[in-house]
Amino acid sequence: DGGITQSPKYLFRKEGQNVTLSCEQNLNHDAMYWYRQDPGQGLRLIYYSQIVNDFQKGDIAEGYSVSREKKESFPLTVTSAQKNPTAFYLCASTPRAGMPDGYTFGSGTRLTVV
Amino acid sequence: AQSVTQLDSQVPVFEEAPVELRCNYSSSVSVYLFWYVQYPNQGLQLLLKYLSGSTLVESINGFEAEFNKSQTSFHLRKPSVHISDTAEYFCAVIPMDTGRRALTFGSGTRLQVQP
């Protein structure tokens, strides 16, 4: 079955460490997105990519980095510059950038700083 | 830029009672509107959407939402809720024209259905 796989499901990070969250899709979608979810704040856009080798900052890109070297993969690195990284991270994709619907979401990665 | 406001962070309701989850948006351009549902520790699932046509849209599990352009609202309703409807609900928009081509979400409403 086609879908989005996020790994790991749970991730623990020590302060000062960089960590990378994986997002892989086998839907042949062009566009991919990273959202951060915090209680009471909904989902906020971190980065999105409309096509391979291209990505744009969202609303809360500071302290995060991404790459899009392959169509099916859009990893997110949470750097030590991110002051409060504990959150639930969701990856999504759509067939083409700008499509109003057709979003597919992964099941998320819960990151905790210890 | 767009913004979405969900004024109710939590809505407790008894089983078989009606419910309304409110959503208002702000945008300088026309938008498409969506409701998504999230069960604990899972991703989001599309509940219903307004793209064009009839302003009243329905889901397969009894929810409906009405797009009101003059009030910039897209409230979600269900005439009789079930325990299984307990979840978090997110309203979202995306602009129809060019600009940032990604969903903008509200802060969510947690629906708690009690027996």
Side-chain angles (χ1 to χ4, degrees), chain B residues 4-60:
Chain B
V4 179
T5 301
Q6 294 180 248
L7 288 173
D8 305 306
S9 60
Q10 295 189 53
V11 174
V13 63
F14 288 108
E15 194 173 18
E16 298 183 5
V19 71
E20 178 180 83
L21 307 183
R22 295 179 293 169
C23 172
N24 289 86
Y25 70 92
S26 173
S27 176
S28 57
V29 300
S30 296
V31 296
Y32 300 110
L33 299 118
F34 306 86
W35 277 99
Y36 281 85
V37 59
Q38 183 183 37
Y39 299 99
N41 292 313
Q42 293 187 24
L44 272 66
Q45 302 172 27
L46 179 66
L47 186 60
L48 44 76
K49 60 188 177 186
Y50 173 75
L51 303 182
S52 64
S54 173
T55 57
L56 182 66
V57 291
E58 298 178 353
S59 72
I60 58 173

Side-chain angles (χ1 to χ4, degrees), chain A residues 15-109:
Chain A
E15 287 194 26
Q17 283 184 337
N18 292 355
V19 290
T20 297
L21 283 59
S22 171
C23 177
E24 303 277 334
Q25 53 99 357
N26 60 3
L27 300 164
N28 200 34
H29 284 180
D30 284 340
M32 298 186 74
Y33 312 82
W34 274 106
Y35 286 90
R36 170 179 170 143
Q37 185 178 6
D38 297 279
Q41 297 192 53
L43 283 77
R44 293 179 291 168
L45 185 67
I46 305 173
Y47 270 99
Y48 66 106
S49 168
Q50 300 185 78
I51 200 168
V52 174
N53 293 322
D54 177 73
F55 49 83
Q56 288 81 40
K57 293 182 178 180
D59 297 318
I60 55 166
E62 185 175 352
Y64 300 96
S65 66
V66 293
S67 63
R68 188 84 187 279
E69 298 176 359
K70 297 186 296 182
K71 187 175 185 177
E72 60 269 24
S73 179
F74 191 40
L76 173 73
T77 296
V78 184
T79 74
S80 57
Q82 170 50 235
K83 301 298 183 209
N84 184 21
T86 294
F88 189 55
Y89 292 86
L90 283 165
C91 180
S93 69
T94 53
R96 298 186 312 277
M99 278 189 67
D101 62 357
Y103 274 72
T104 300
F105 283 85
S107 56
T109 293

